[in-house]
Amino acid sequence: MSKPPVSADYVSLQLALVDRFVELGIGSYASGVDQLTNLRRRLGLGAPSDPSWVRLLEQLDAYDDHASCVNAVMEVAVTTPSVEPEHIARGWPTSGAFSLDVRGAAAQTHFFSMDTDTTSPLARPKLPQRRRELASVIAHARREHPDLRLITRGSWLYSTTSYASLFPPEHLRTATVRRGRNTFQGMSHWGQFLDHRGALRTDLANDFRSRVATWSGDDPCLLFPIATLEVSSPIETFDPCADRGAEVGSDIFRP
């Protein structure tokens, strides 16, 4: 049997926020799970209207205790076929750990930890390779999408020194702290609680639980220990990266 796409402790952490959401009278349990967690995407259940997701939300709404809700999610998780990584499922051009989702004149960078060894994909010895991979994807985008004008992304990773060091300083200077978000369905916030092996980072999880316990319903972004930064800059900011990437552009993988 393949490893479930989520662990029980990761599910429990996310549902702790939903518990508080309901306790404060902000909304129903189902709406909290749908808005505040990334479980639908982690379980590979597709659109919000996916029948399996709708059934799970109805089931969760009927429970009145945390453990039963965690168990219900895990019952789905252990029976879910292996979840295809998003960059493969969506056919994004990929080089190593980096993918680009190009939509019109803008592209979002995505980082996926696909290394098979035991060290972090952002370990210091790997950073030169990560820079080459980013350069390769940028170079590919410049060739394939001449109308591309903007590179954007919002992620907690920009708050870390190792990841930020992969990008041009001019790009990082555009960073703003994300505030006022009421949906958290991806990894731009929730990803900070998992290490490169997929294990829960207990220090951050405990900090989060403490914040949730005293949450009064204000900006949910403030609950996450590591701030999510939003960056956006013209494609010209990446010209040096694109020049370097032209030498290694052949390593682009497109599913």
Side-chain angles (χ1 to χ4, degrees):
M1 181 180 296
S2 61
K3 181 181 178 181
V6 291
S7 64
D9 53 5
Y10 191 47
V11 171
S12 178
L13 183 71
Q14 297 197 41
L15 294 187
L17 176 56
V18 180
D19 292 340
R20 183 64 175 165
F21 175 86
V22 174
E23 183 181 340
L24 291 170
I26 300 174
S28 68
Y29 203 90
S31 65
V33 174
D34 197 42
Q35 291 173 221
L36 300 176
T37 78
N38 68 6
L39 296 176
R40 174 175 57 83
R41 291 172 63 178
R42 293 288 290 183
L43 295 170
L45 294 182
S49 59
D50 185 299
S52 296
W53 179 242
V54 172
R55 284 195 299 271
L56 178 58
L57 291 182
E58 291 172 348
Q59 186 179 0
L60 295 175
D61 234 0
Y63 291 128
D64 58 7
D65 68 287
H66 183 86
S68 294
C69 291
V70 173
N71 290 338
V73 174
M74 291 309 298
E75 286 176 6
V76 174
V78 298
T79 59
T80 296
S82 297
V83 177
E84 194 172 37
E86 188 174 22
H87 62 294
I88 295 177
R90 298 188 179 220
W92 294 337
T94 299
S95 177
F98 277 99
S99 294
L100 268 188
D101 177 16
V102 181
R103 301 187 184 189
Q108 287 192 347
T109 55
H110 290 263
F111 185 80
F112 298 88
S113 175
M114 305 298 287
D115 289 355
T116 57
D117 60 20
T118 59
T119 61
S120 167
L122 292 171
R124 184 180 294 274
K126 293 183 177 181
L127 296 182
Q129 176 64 26
R130 298 287 92 101
R131 293 188 185 98
R132 289 192 293 271
E133 292 164 357
L134 175 61
S136 184
V137 169
I138 294 292
H140 174 84
R142 295 296 296 270
R143 292 193 300 270
E144 298 296 318
H145 302 277
D147 294 332
L148 184 59
R149 295 288 179 268
L150 202 64
I151 300 294
T152 70
R153 185 59 174 151
S155 175
W156 66 276
L157 282 165
Y158 290 107
S159 289
T160 69
T161 301
S162 55
Y163 188 73
S165 72
L166 304 179
F167 292 84
E170 295 83 358
H171 188 57
L172 298 174
R173 281 197 282 270
T174 71
T176 58
V177 177
R178 179 180 287 170
R179 290 289 183 262
R181 164 102 29 133
N182 291 308
T183 58
F184 302 88
Q185 298 166 340
M187 292 293 279
S188 60
H189 288 269
W190 287 115
Q192 65 188 262
F193 298 109
L194 300 178
D195 66 18
H196 65 277
R197 298 177 298 269
L200 194 71
R201 299 172 66 182
T202 55
D203 54 341
L204 292 178
N206 290 339
D207 187 347
F208 179 76
R209 286 182 181 278
S210 295
R211 295 173 185 225
V212 167
T214 59
W215 184 42
S216 61
D218 56 351
D219 188 350
C221 292
L222 298 172
L223 297 173
F224 293 85
I226 302 178
T228 290
L229 302 182
E230 295 183 337
V231 293
S232 180
S233 62
I235 185 65
E236 290 77 16
T237 304
F238 287 80
D239 280 347
C241 291
D243 292 341
R244 292 195 303 272
E247 302 172 3
V248 292
S250 60
D251 69 354
I252 288 289
F253 166 68
R254 184 184 290 277

